Amino acid sequence: MVDLQSQYQRIKPEIDAAIESVLESTKFIKGPEVDEFAKDLAQYTGVGYVIPCANGTDALQIAMMALNLKRGDEVITATFTYAATAEVIALLGLTPVLVDVNPETFCIDPAAIEAAITPKTKAIVPVHLFGQFADMERIMAIAKKANLYVIEDLAQAIGSIYTFSDGTQKQAGTIGDIGTTSFFPSKNLGCYGDGGALFTNDESIAQNIKMVANHGQRIQYYHEVIGVNSRLDTIQAAILKVKLKYLDEYCKARQYVANYYDKALAGHPNLKIPYRDPKSTHVFHQYTLQLCGIKRDELRKHLAILGIPTMIYYPLPLHFQKAFGAENYKKGQFPISEMLCECVLSLPISTEMEEEQLAFIVSGLKSTLLYLSNIELEDHATNAEKMNQTKHH
Ligand SMILES: Cc1ncc(COP(=O)(O)O)c(C=O)c1O
């Protein structure tokens, strides 16, 4: 699905030198590269403060702790997302309130957020899924009216830009009270292990984040709250500092792949290509199709034989997961998310794909779809024949 090897080979001398420099310094924790990378990323995104941490899941947890959310507070998020988002809400004793998504963008539906607000609601966590923004203009308006915090989960959308109706443009993670991201290796900006970061424009929130992530201490050995230990290690920061210079190029490379797929697959009777929201650039962390009239597992099996990997992000919405109390939800409660889980299929996408590979994937996909549609037609014909024969007998 992702070719990290080719990406590494292209920038190997720079990466190797950056790692070697950390090895020579032996400042493995809190080396200067951590602050340098945080500053570079703040400058790139235009946000006031970037606080690195150990991974994207920690970033979400630290965000909720830094905002002082308390046991029993309700936090609204989408049921069609990666589990990490809702997991930390539950882990902190807060109540995850799951809602449905927009059928075009796959991101949280603002009308569903409004309908889910209660006096206990304290925050909304929109996830910019697959590389495209949730409807932040409406979400921010809802949050302002109901006095709620907004934590943007931009793990899949770093570098994406949102345009408000007045023309103002903002980077992912810089619109809400806090943005949280992951530098997992396959992410659009990925390190060579685990990593994450929080963004905020608010100085006191930034101080709280730093305190929570550092065992709840502002002054060494004086612990104000129960915190966590969550740090980006120096080697990862040094790698990210190199890779950040290439982020725009990486986004463009992903968009090139997506444009290629779009052009080749638009209008296909069994496929719906990803929607592009005019308000958001799409940085295509995933290129996710919707299938119609085709058995997904059969398709995946045949493509795998051809050597074409595919993935299902995600096969089960959170409200059907045992961990999130599936027994409390009814089938059909969040119909869009349920439908998407049944029909989505993500194709390989990464920064170093060549036209030859893309042509191979597209032709393999199209010929397999044709083959499976013909089998389907033959099955229909055989069944009809059998029914006819039974009638005559
Ligand atoms: C939307 C979303 N949120 C959170 C995370 C968690 O990030 P990490 O794996 O770095 O903990 C991920 C990463 O997989 C993600 O895709």
Side-chain angles (χ1 to χ4, degrees), residues 60 76-87 89 96-101 106-108 125-130 153-156 187 312-319 321 324 337-338 340-341:
L60 283 157
I76 300 173
T77 196
T79 186
F80 185 63
T81 183
Y82 184 56
T85 322
E87 183 179 47
I89 302 172
V97 177
L98 302 175
V99 299
D100 213 347
V101 296
F106 307 155
C107 293
I108 196 163
V125 188
V127 182
H128 305 321
L129 205 71
F130 303 153
D153 182 347
L154 69 135
Q156 303 186 4
K187 293 286 191 262
I312 299 170
Y313 305 113
Y314 298 91
L316 203 60
L318 298 186
H319 66 284
Q321 302 279 356
F324 292 101
S337 300
E338 291 170 29
L340 291 174
C341 288

Side-chain angles (χ1 to χ4, degrees), residues 120-278:
K120 287 187 181 168
T121 311
K122 287 288 166 358
I124 308 166
V125 188
V127 182
H128 305 321
L129 205 71
F130 303 153
Q132 187 166 242
F133 268 92
D135 187 348
M136 286 307 288
E137 186 148 11
R138 279 185 69 194
I139 292 170
M140 292 310 289
I142 293 166
K144 195 168 170 202
K145 196 166 143 213
N147 197 22
L148 305 175
Y149 290 118
V150 175
I151 301 168
E152 292 176 67
D153 182 347
L154 69 135
Q156 303 186 4
I158 197 159
S160 183
I161 296 166
Y162 187 82
T163 307
F164 286 85
S165 43
D166 68 359
T168 316
Q169 294 196 314
K170 293 229 163 117
Q171 283 260 350
T174 70
I175 301 172
D177 298 281
I178 300 180
T180 66
T181 198
S182 161
F183 303 123
F184 186 81
S186 62
K187 293 286 191 262
N188 290 22
L189 178 62
C191 57
Y192 293 178
D194 273 311
L198 298 99
F199 301 173
T200 186
N201 282 309
D202 183 311
E203 198 201 331
S204 79
I205 293 178
Q207 295 306 334
N208 276 355
I209 290 171
K210 283 184 193 161
M211 184 254 299
V212 168
N214 185 24
H215 299 286
Q217 54 188 343
R218 284 184 218 271
I219 303 164
Q220 200 173 20
Y221 305 128
Y222 292 83
H223 303 270
E224 250 172 71
V225 297
I226 300 295
V228 296
N229 171 27
S230 187
R231 299 184 282 237
L232 181 69
D233 73 63
T234 316
I235 288 180
Q236 301 306 338
I239 292 165
L240 286 164
K241 202 167 156 248
V242 172
K243 288 188 72 182
L244 179 60
K245 291 187 289 178
Y246 296 92
L247 180 56
D248 283 339
E249 215 177 289
Y250 291 159
C251 290
K252 285 202 186 95
R254 288 174 175 276
Q255 285 158 350
Y256 166 77
V257 173
N259 291 342
Y260 186 100
Y261 283 148
D262 270 6
K263 216 164 139 206
L265 303 174
H268 192 286
N270 299 116
L271 304 174
K272 191 166 164 203
I273 60 170
Y275 172 75
R276 313 259 187 133
D277 186 344

Side-chain angles (χ1 to χ4, degrees), residues 67-80:
L67 293 174
N68 217 3
L69 302 189
K70 291 271 179 330
R71 213 158 256 283
D73 287 348
E74 291 177 3
V75 180
I76 300 173
T77 196
T79 186
F80 185 63

